[in-house]
Amino acid sequence: MGRPERVARELVGAHGRTYAEEAGIGLKDTPQPLYRLLVLSHLLSARIRGSIALATARALHEAGLRDPRRMAQASWQQRVDALGRGGYRRYDERTATQLGDAAELLRERWGGDLRRLRREADGDISELRRLLQEFPGIGPAGADIFLREAQSVWPEAAPYLDAKALQGAERLDLPKDPERLTELAGDTDPAVLAAALVRAAMDKEVAEDTLRRAG
């Protein structure tokens, strides 16, 4: 096994956990987990610590705001309060409005089911990315986060390694070609690889620890 393979395997072994898993989302190709991933992607895309975004996703779930109907029917103040309990205070008022509007859009246009949005894109990943950005609060970064995680259940998107994931590859002296990276990671789920690479991009210590382990 060459050094690139060792680096990739060490990275995945130590840091290969999706953000959905960390937020307590058992991701499946069904409406509620996909919706919770959309909300998580929204929260993670803000300029706020990832740990706060993850805690806030859990707080929204605990408050019962786990599907678009409940999110849309909650009062603005209920959404603000749940965001606050997760520590998401800097953007809470704007985000509370965006979450309500996004839930309404999902219900009205796609019947509350992101699988219908997927069908509308018909296998075109750039169209899928564009459609995701129609949700208030989901920009390019949020769409990338969603697709990085969703590729485990929407395989037509795989391997989805965006600029942030490739930044992690560069920090680890790994190739920046998505197909080559997935080869190096063996049978690792591309979503797990993507999350691990993002952690290397976001945290210098993750990269340094991985390189040290790889020898």
Side-chain angles (χ1 to χ4, degrees):
M1 184 186 294
R3 180 168 169 76
E5 287 90 350
R6 290 200 307 275
V7 170
R9 307 289 169 92
E10 288 291 345
L11 174 70
V12 168
H15 305 286
R17 189 182 187 202
T18 66
Y19 287 89
E21 182 184 356
E22 195 170 345
I25 301 169
L27 192 58
K28 295 184 290 187
D29 188 27
T30 54
Q32 189 178 113
L34 290 170
Y35 175 68
R36 291 182 63 199
L37 176 60
L38 183 71
V39 171
L40 176 63
S41 302
H42 182 163
L43 299 173
L44 281 169
S45 65
R47 292 181 179 177
I48 200 162
R49 285 204 309 276
S51 58
I52 293 176
L54 290 161
T56 302
R58 290 190 290 267
L60 288 166
H61 181 264
E62 288 162 7
L65 307 180
R66 60 193 68 169
D67 61 49
R69 180 183 63 81
R70 290 184 177 96
M71 185 69 79
Q73 291 178 352
S75 70
W76 178 82
Q77 190 61 53
Q78 285 173 318
R79 293 193 292 268
V80 168
D81 291 345
L83 290 164
R85 284 193 292 275
Y88 208 86
R89 295 186 179 87
R90 184 176 172 190
Y91 303 103
D92 56 352
E93 295 187 358
R94 182 182 68 183
T95 302
T97 299
Q98 290 173 335
L99 288 173
D101 291 345
E104 288 286 5
L105 175 62
L106 179 55
R107 294 180 75 200
E108 291 170 7
R109 182 163 173 186
W110 292 290
D113 188 346
L114 283 162
R115 295 175 301 179
R116 296 185 181 184
L117 179 149
R118 179 192 185 189
R119 285 197 291 272
E120 185 175 324
D122 195 26
D124 184 332
I125 305 310
S126 61
E127 176 65 5
L128 188 54
R129 190 172 183 267
R130 186 194 69 77
L131 288 170
L132 288 165
Q133 290 177 67
E134 293 197 13
F135 291 109
I138 298 286
D144 284 340
I145 293 166
F146 183 91
L147 290 170
R148 281 199 317 252
E149 298 276 315
Q151 64 183 314
S152 62
V153 293
W154 290 1
E156 71 273 20
Y160 196 90
L161 301 177
D162 65 333
K164 182 60 71 175
L166 296 179
Q167 184 183 326
E170 184 174 24
R171 180 172 266 183
L172 292 162
D173 296 320
L174 292 173
K176 294 178 69 177
D177 174 66
E179 296 287 350
R180 179 66 181 132
L181 284 166
T182 54
E183 286 176 12
L184 291 173
D187 59 0
T188 301
D189 183 332
V192 170
L193 173 62
L197 287 168
V198 168
R199 288 189 170 89
M202 301 288 285
D203 187 342
K204 189 177 180 182
E205 289 185 8
V206 168
E208 289 174 348
D209 173 65
T210 299
L211 292 171
R212 189 166 50 250
R213 286 169 179 266

